[in-house]
Amino acid sequence: YKHDQVIKEMLKNDLVILNQIEKADGVTPFFMACQNGLLEVVQMMASDGRVDVNFSTSFNWSPLMASSW
């Protein structure tokens, strides 16, 4: 599955809400990419100014913490 290709297309669209909370625990697409070790996706998303790379979950987990778990 080509996650990076999907993310490239998403980043082209200004209507896409990149900090959309996906689950009740407050994870974002960026958080999930960090948690799953998708380095290319993380790099692309982190370079987009619309992505809040410090957004924490409802359990106060940051994307950086998730990437090291």
Side-chain angles (χ1 to χ4, degrees), residues 5-64:
Q5 292 175 350
V6 173
I7 296 302
K8 282 179 188 176
E9 291 303 313
M10 286 177 59
L11 293 175
K12 290 179 187 177
N13 188 339
D14 290 335
L15 299 176
V16 172
I17 302 170
L18 297 172
N19 294 310
Q20 178 72 39
I21 297 171
E22 295 293 328
K23 297 181 181 181
D25 54 3
V27 299
T28 62
F30 182 74
F31 184 95
M32 287 188 280
C34 290
Q35 186 176 40
N36 291 301
L38 302 174
L39 182 59
E40 293 172 6
V41 172
V42 169
Q43 290 173 331
M44 283 188 289
M45 293 184 80
S47 67
D48 188 289
R50 298 174 292 163
V51 175
D52 183 356
V53 297
N54 295 310
F55 187 86
S56 296
T57 68
S58 57
F59 299 107
N60 291 323
W61 273 69
S62 70
L64 179 60

